[in-house]
Amino acid sequence: MNINEIGTPLIQVQNLGKKFGDMEVLKDISVDIYKGDVVCVIGPSGSGKSTFLRCLNRLEEPSGGHILFEGTDIVDKKTDIDKHRQKMGMVFQQFNLFPHMTILKNLTLAPIKLQGKSSKEAEEQALKLLDKVGLKDRANAYPNQLSGGQKQRIAIVRALCMNPDVMLFDEPTSALDPEMVGEVLNVMRELAEEKMTMVVVTHEMGFAKEVATRVMFMDGGYFMEENEPVEFFENPKNDRLKLFLSKVL
Amino acid sequence: MWEKLRDDFYQNFIVDDRWKYIVDGLQNTLKITFFAVLIGILLGFVVAIIRSTYENTGKLKILNAICSVYLTVIRGTPVVVQLMIMYFIIFAFHDPGQIFTAILAFGINSGAYVAEIFRSGISSIERGQFEAGRSLGFNYAQTMLFIIMPQAFKNVVPTLANEFIVLLKETSVAGYIGLQDLTKGGDIIKSRTYNAFMPLISVAIIYLIMVMVFSYLVTLLERRLHKSEH
C-alpha cells in the first residue's frame, strides 16, 4: 500500500497503447499516479520508457486507451491539450532552451503569454526560482553561454515557472558530463522534498533508490514490475528485472 | 584620355539633361525592387507556413497543393517571360500601369524563392524546440511565432539577403514591357549618343554600389542577430 494513495489519482493511465507503424511500443499500460508521487521509470533502452512519458502530455499521440489528468481524459481529441500542458511541466534530455532568448526571457515567456502575468510579476517569480537553483546571476545570459548542468537546471525552472501540478522528466541527466549530474539531481531532490509530483525516466539508480516513492521497470512495452524502492532494488521478483539490475548496479 | 572622358560625360549626361534618364530609371528600379521585396516576403511567409504546417501535421492539404503548383510554375519559367505574360496577357485589356505590373510580377516571382528559403529555415530548427514550446502549453501557431520563426529568420538572413540582391538585378529586364528602369535609362542614352561605354558602365557602377551598400547593412543586421551566440 502506497502511503500517497489518498483521494483520486492525479494521473490515471488506462490501457494506454502506442504503435509506430507496425511496431507496438506500448502495450496496454495502466497505472495511477497520485499527488506527491515520485515515480521513477527504469528499463533498457528501446523499452518504451520515453514514449510512455511523452504520451502523458501527448507529445506522442497514443494509439489507444485513456489518460485522465485531474479528471479530464486528455487523449480525447476534443480536450484542449494546450490548456492541460500548462499544468504538466516537462524537462528534456537535450534541455531545449530557446537559444534566441536570455535566460530570463526563457523563463517568463510562457507565464506572460499564457497565464497573463505582468512581466514584473513573472520576472520576480523567475528570479526567485533562479536563486533557489543558484543561477540568479545568469538571468541575463544566453543559453549557449551556460554549461550543460546549468542549462538543465534552467530548463527545470522554466517548467516550474508555470506552477505545474506534475513534472515529467525525460532522462534529464543522460546528456550531461558526469560531474554535472549531481547538481541537476540535487534540484530534483529538493523538488521531491517539496512534494512535487514527478514522473522521471532515468538511468540514475541511486536517485531512484533514494528519492522515488515508487519505481517501475519497463521492458518490451509493459511495466514488468512496480514497487517501493527498497523492495524493488533489494528484492526484485521479475527475472528480466533481476538481469537488468545485475548489469546496471 | 581625361579630355575624352570629360567630353563623353558631358555628351551622355549633361546635354539635354540626359542624366534624368538615369535618375528617373533609378527611382523606378528602387520602387519596383522595394515593393516586390515586400510582396515577396509576405507571399513567401504565407506559403512557407502552409508548406511547413502540412509537413508537420498533415493539415492544409489543398492549400499545400496550390502552393506546390505555384512554386513549380514560378521557379520553372524565366522571370522575364512571367513579366511579359503579366503585362501582355493577364493585363492585356486593363493596363494598371507598367510599374504596378512589374511590382506584381517580380513580387510573385520572388515570393516563390523566399518561400523555399523560409521553409528551409523552419526545418533547420531542431524538433526539440517545437516540443519545448508545445510542452509549455503554447499552441501550434504560438510556438511558430515565438519560438520557431525568430530562430528560422536568423538562420536565413544571409540567403534572404542574397535573394533580394538577385531581385534588384533581375528588375533590369523591366524594359521588356516598355518600362524605363535604370538599365533602360542607360540604354536610351546609348541610343541617343551612340556611345555605349559611358552610360552602360555608369549603370553597372550604380547597381554595384547599391548591392554593396545593401550587403553592408545585412552584415550589420547579422552581427546584431548573432549577439546571443558568443
Side-chain angles (χ1 to χ4, degrees), chain B:
Chain B
M1 163 96 179
W2 288 112
E3 199 82 336
K4 161 125 179 55
L5 272 181
R6 207 170 53 201
D7 193 45
D8 274 359
F9 185 86
Y10 185 77
Q11 279 297 323
N12 282 292
F13 297 127
I14 309 299
V15 172
D16 292 343
D17 283 343
R18 285 181 182 138
W19 56 273
K20 280 186 177 159
Y21 289 114
I22 298 288
V23 172
D24 291 349
L26 177 60
Q27 276 177 8
N28 284 338
T29 292
L30 288 175
K31 218 184 283 174
I32 294 168
T33 306
F34 179 77
F35 288 107
V37 163
L38 287 189
I39 293 177
I41 289 180
L42 202 71
L43 205 55
F45 183 78
V46 172
V47 171
I49 291 283
I50 291 172
R51 303 256 297 158
S52 301
T53 303
Y54 175 73
E55 275 170 22
N56 283 340
T57 66
K59 288 174 188 161
L60 308 179
K61 203 168 170 184
I62 294 168
L63 282 175
N64 180 62
I66 295 171
C67 291
S68 292
V69 172
Y70 162 68
L71 293 177
T72 309
V73 170
I74 294 297
R75 295 194 302 161
T77 55
V79 65
V80 63
V81 176
Q82 291 163 19
L83 177 68
M84 289 197 292
I85 289 175
M86 186 70 86
Y87 190 66
F88 295 113
I89 300 177
I90 295 174
F91 289 136
F93 303 106
H94 171 76
D95 183 359
Q98 288 147 326
I99 302 268
F100 181 85
T101 309
I103 287 172
L104 204 59
F106 285 114
I108 289 173
N109 178 271
S110 181
Y113 293 94
V114 172
E116 288 300 272
I117 292 169
F118 276 147
R119 191 173 64 97
S120 74
I122 291 170
S123 52
S124 75
I125 306 302
E126 46 177 314
R127 185 140 186 93
Q129 290 291 310
F130 186 78
E131 291 184 344
R134 294 307 302 268
S135 77
L136 284 167
F138 288 113
N139 63 29
Y140 181 85
Q142 290 168 323
T143 307
M144 279 306 215
L145 186 66
F146 299 135
I147 295 154
I148 306 298
M149 292 310 286
Q151 295 184 63
F153 179 73
K154 202 160 94 173
N155 287 354
V156 300
V157 163
T159 334
L160 208 54
N162 191 52
E163 159 61 20
F164 296 143
I165 288 172
V166 170
L167 178 63
L168 171 70
K169 292 181 295 178
E170 266 183 349
T171 59
S172 61
V173 298
Y176 273 85
I177 58 168
L179 193 161
Q180 191 208 315
D181 71 324
L182 177 59
T183 303
K184 188 71 180 176
D187 195 42
I188 292 170
I189 296 175
K190 183 193 73 160
S191 66
R192 300 277 151 87
T193 61
Y194 302 109
N195 181 333
F197 182 84
M198 189 56 80
L200 293 188
I201 294 297
S202 305
V203 165
I205 288 172
I206 293 172
Y207 277 114
L208 187 62
I209 290 171
M210 286 195 291
V211 170
M212 284 168 67
V213 168
F214 183 68
S215 299
Y216 175 71
L217 292 177
V218 171
T219 315
L220 290 187
L221 176 67
E222 268 183 80
R223 216 174 290 163
R224 238 185 88 90
L225 287 173
H226 283 268
K227 218 172 44 184
S228 57
E229 284 161 23
H230 289 285

Side-chain angles (χ1 to χ4, degrees), chain A residues 54 57 82 85-86 88 92 96-101 109-110 113-114 142 144-145 158 162, chain B residues 126 128-129 131-139 142 146-147 150-151 154 227-230:
Chain A
R54 290 160 58 83
N57 68 351
D82 300 322
R85 279 186 182 139
Q86 293 183 25
M88 309 173 107
F92 300 86
N96 296 341
L97 294 178
F98 307 133
H100 59 302
M101 300 175 188
L109 181 73
K113 302 283 183 192
L114 295 173
Y142 283 92
N144 289 351
Q145 297 168 291
R158 181 174 67 182
M162 290 295 285
Chain B
E126 46 177 314
Q129 290 291 310
E131 291 184 344
R134 294 307 302 268
S135 77
L136 284 167
F138 288 113
N139 63 29
Q142 290 168 323
F146 299 135
I147 295 154
Q151 295 184 63
K154 202 160 94 173
K227 218 172 44 184
S228 57
E229 284 161 23
H230 289 285

Side-chain angles (χ1 to χ4, degrees), chain A residues 9 11 14 32 44 53 60 71 79 82 86 93 115 133 156 180 187 191 207 209 211 219 221 248:
Chain A
I11 304 177
Q14 300 169 342
D32 290 343
L53 192 77
E60 299 291 353
T79 306
D82 300 322
Q86 293 183 25
Q93 185 177 347
Q115 294 179 328
V133 302
I156 293 171
M180 293 174 178
V187 171
L191 214 50
F207 178 82
K209 206 179 219 166
V211 181
D219 195 16
V248 297

Side-chain angles (χ1 to χ4, degrees), chain A residues 199-212:
Chain A
V199 184
V200 186
V201 172
T202 186
H203 294 293
E204 294 293 330
M205 299 304 148
F207 178 82
K209 206 179 219 166
E210 193 191 329
V211 181

Side-chain angles (χ1 to χ4, degrees), chain A residues 164-207:
Chain A
D165 294 336
V166 58
M167 288 281 285
L168 311 175
F169 292 86
D170 190 2
E171 301 199 23
T173 57
S174 297
L176 295 176
D177 289 341
E179 79 259 35
M180 293 174 178
V181 170
E183 61 191 68
V184 172
L185 292 182
N186 279 338
V187 171
M188 292 169 63
R189 189 174 291 125
E190 278 171 35
L191 214 50
E193 279 162 14
E194 290 165 16
K195 297 291 168 229
M196 172 62 80
T197 312
M198 295 157 72
V199 184
V200 186
V201 172
T202 186
H203 294 293
E204 294 293 330
M205 299 304 148
F207 178 82

